[in-house]
Amino acid sequence: MIVFYLDRGSGVSTYLQLVHQVKHALRLGLLRPGDQLPTAKEVVTQLAINPNTVLKAYRELERDGLAEGRPGQGTFIRRSLGEASASDRARLSEELSAWVNAARRARLDQEDIEALFASALNASFRRETA
Amino acid sequence: MKDVHQLSSAPRRESTSGQAPNALEATGLSKQYRKAWALRNASFAVPAGRVAALVGPNGSGKTTLLNMVVGLLSPTSGEVRVFGETVRQDAEVLSRVAFLAQDKPLYDSFTVAEMLKFGRVMNPRWDDEMARRRLDELGIPLKRNVSRLSGGQQTQVGLTVAVAKRPHLLVLDEPLADLDPVARHEVTTSLMAAVAETAMTVLLSSHVVPDLVDTCDWLVVLNGGRVQVSGDIDDLLASHRMVVGPADGAETVAGRLPVAARSTSGRQATLLLRGPASLPDPRWTERPVRLEDLVLTYLRDPDASALPAPSLIRAH
């Protein structure tokens, strides 16, 4: 089970810190679908924080489809993050290498390539959230 | 342990929309002692399920307000409602409210066990099993005389007696005052655990703002007998921005952007702005708003206020 910690000087609100820690654990495979998240009371006892803060974090995870509340049981992980299959990862990595080589042949340097990639990434995600 | 928060499917935050009844509503609440107004025309609401902080300097009217909420004082004008019912000397309304006064109301000659027995006799909905379990977890011996407990333990006994009444609204006057840092942490943890178990609404007063970060989710700021701020803490923090810049440029900024409160110190001005806005010149820098900044900036500027529309206060 995940153990939360708080960075009280970070300026990031407490509920968002909890959300980020769950997402991070999902990306690293420390939390998997079916795992139970600590109950509000368990988190409260450990961190001395308001239980509504824990519930707000869990609702945010539910809205993202990452967790689900089961009445009378608790909150459970529904799906993981960063779970592209190994073969997909390998194929994408190969395609990206080929693209980087093509960019270098066109006389782009490292910073040019990074800027181009970042801008494509931003444009793509902005379209999704717009 | 049963965890009420996990069982209830209805998100409790939705109560701000006015669908669920407010745990507490004050409308035009005033209290006059001889010539002086201790509280003047206070109107605010606390939605059910919240842990609300009542903050203000000493003498701002906090204790007067709390005493009216629990029916120990009657208002000069206006009214307080607890879960929709007007607070009077009404046993039914008052049985849903527990109060822990600042001078821990324990009987010094009693043992802890006798305090529990007293609570059991006085309160029809008394949860003796829970009271004993809490004290056991805290390592407070039942046979010990109350006068021989430490300050932190006395607060824990007072809190246990209050929580064992199974109140819907728990009111605490400066529960952390005169406790050392370890005891403060223990009392806070035990209060938060009780909230998680029971889903009760809490209203607690304090003049130490950093103690409230992470424990309270609703803020009521009282200043000179008037309510200056009332609202969800995350919403308040998200809707304000703190900017620091030269005092001689403050008027220009204030003319263009919505200033909630301001303070000046020498050549430097600090402005609390409402809503997003771009800063006019590079001498101004933005800082994240902390709860303490928000409270202090409003307190220093008594004419400023951040209150919900009147319709929210009387929602339902």
Side-chain angles (χ1 to χ4, degrees):
Chain A
M1 187 175 282
I2 186 169
V3 176
F4 293 113
Y5 58 91
L6 283 190
D7 183 353
R8 295 192 196 258
S10 68
V12 179
S13 69
T14 304
Y15 91 94
L16 273 181
Q17 290 191 39
L18 302 183
V19 168
H20 293 163
Q21 283 167 40
V22 168
K23 287 184 174 173
H24 191 69
L26 286 171
R27 290 206 169 85
L28 294 178
L30 301 174
L31 274 176
R32 295 191 183 137
D35 283 354
Q36 185 174 5
L37 292 172
T39 63
K41 188 178 173 206
E42 284 165 339
V43 180
V44 164
T45 312
Q46 189 214 335
L47 298 179
I49 60 169
N50 185 324
N52 292 335
T53 305
V54 184
L55 299 172
K56 188 173 179 181
Y58 287 5
R59 275 202 298 281
E60 175 109 354
L61 291 166
E62 285 175 28
R63 259 198 304 276
D64 291 349
L66 295 173
E68 61 179 347
R70 296 182 198 157
Q73 292 180 59
T75 305
F76 293 81
I77 295 299
R78 251 185 79 193
R79 69 174 174 83
S80 205
L81 281 172
E83 267 208 316
S85 73
S87 63
D88 278 347
R89 270 172 193 278
R91 176 177 55 80
L92 288 164
S93 168
E94 217 168 279
E95 286 171 15
L96 193 58
S97 295
W99 179 83
V100 169
N101 289 335
R104 291 184 69 183
R105 281 195 299 278
R107 294 180 179 272
L108 273 69
D109 69 12
Q110 185 166 348
E111 284 181 11
D112 294 335
I113 294 173
E114 278 168 4
L116 206 56
F117 183 75
S119 121
L121 203 61
N122 278 337
S124 170
F125 279 98
R126 205 166 37 238
R127 263 199 305 279
E128 235 168 68
T129 51
Chain B
M1 184 58 225
K2 183 172 78 160
D3 191 325
V4 180
H5 283 74
Q6 299 275 345
L7 295 178
S8 61
S9 54
R12 299 194 304 160
R13 289 256 169 193
E14 259 53 87
S15 52
T16 39
S17 65
Q19 292 164 350
N22 286 321
L24 183 64
E25 279 176 14
T27 316
L29 194 64
S30 303
K31 182 69 186 177
Q32 191 176 19
Y33 294 115
R34 294 171 198 261
K35 280 184 191 158
W37 291 94
L39 199 66
R40 200 143 194 196
N41 201 19
S43 296
F44 68 94
V46 177
R50 296 309 192 104
V51 181
L54 178 63
V55 176
N58 290 328
S60 57
K62 300 192 296 287
T63 300
T64 298
L65 175 58
L66 295 185
N67 277 297
M68 288 195 283
V69 169
V70 300
L72 287 173
L73 268 182
S74 351
T76 307
S77 60
E79 65 166 1
V80 197
R81 286 165 171 267
V82 171
F83 296 100
E85 303 279 340
T86 304
V87 174
R88 287 180 234 97
Q89 288 307 323
D90 179 327
E92 168 55 25
V93 177
L94 294 180
S95 78
R96 302 164 77 185
V97 181
F99 180 46
L100 185 58
Q102 199 171 352
D103 47 4
K104 293 137 205 167
L106 302 170
Y107 296 94
D108 278 354
S109 58
F110 278 24
T111 62
V112 175
E114 284 164 343
M115 277 306 306
L116 294 191
K117 188 176 174 193
F118 183 69
R120 191 161 64 235
V121 172
M122 296 297 285
N123 298 289
R125 294 187 300 143
W126 181 260
D127 188 340
D128 208 54
E129 186 271 325
M130 189 254 266
R132 283 167 188 278
R133 178 173 46 78
R134 271 183 64 96
L135 293 170
D136 184 51
E137 284 168 3
L138 294 162
I140 296 174
L142 294 178
K143 288 184 190 153
R144 183 74 50 86
N145 216 290
V146 166
S147 60
R148 294 192 52 227
L149 298 173
S150 70
Q153 287 176 321
Q154 287 181 353
T155 302
Q156 292 284 23
V157 173
L159 185 58
T160 301
V161 171
V163 171
K165 283 178 75 177
R166 287 270 175 214
H168 297 173
L169 172 65
L170 173 60
V171 179
L172 309 156
D173 193 2
E174 298 276 359
L176 302 176
D178 69 32
L179 297 184
D180 65 57
V182 174
R184 292 166 102 81
H185 185 263
E186 284 171 0
V187 170
T188 305
T189 306
S190 123
L191 175 62
M192 291 299 113
V195 172
E197 275 179 51
T198 63
M200 66 187 166
T201 308
V202 176
L203 175 65
L204 65 90
S205 70
S206 179
H207 59 265
V208 187
V209 180
D211 280 354
L212 310 172
V213 175
D214 289 329
T215 57
C216 296
D217 51 48
W218 192 270
L219 177 70
V220 178
V221 175
L222 209 55
N223 199 7
R226 294 172 192 270
V227 175
Q228 234 188 325
V229 178
S230 172
D232 178 274
I233 290 178
D234 283 344
D235 290 350
L236 284 168
L237 293 179
S239 63
H240 286 82
R241 298 191 317 147
M242 183 77 84
V243 296
V244 180
D248 58 15
E251 282 311 313
T252 320
V253 176
R256 292 169 52 181
L257 302 172
V259 175
R262 62 167 84 186
S263 62
T264 310
S265 142
R267 295 193 193 88
Q268 179 181 288
T270 302
L271 303 179
L272 191 63
L273 302 177
R274 252 194 225 110
S278 56
L279 289 169
D281 93 51
R283 292 181 301 166
W284 287 84
T285 52
E286 185 175 341
R287 290 205 325 237
V289 182
R290 296 173 310 149
L291 184 61
E292 197 173 1
D293 300 329
L294 188 90
V295 169
L296 286 178
T297 312
Y298 273 104
L299 287 180
R300 285 185 194 125
D301 189 357
D303 294 331
S305 68
L307 299 166
S311 63
L312 269 180
I313 292 167
R314 289 178 207 89
H316 83 267

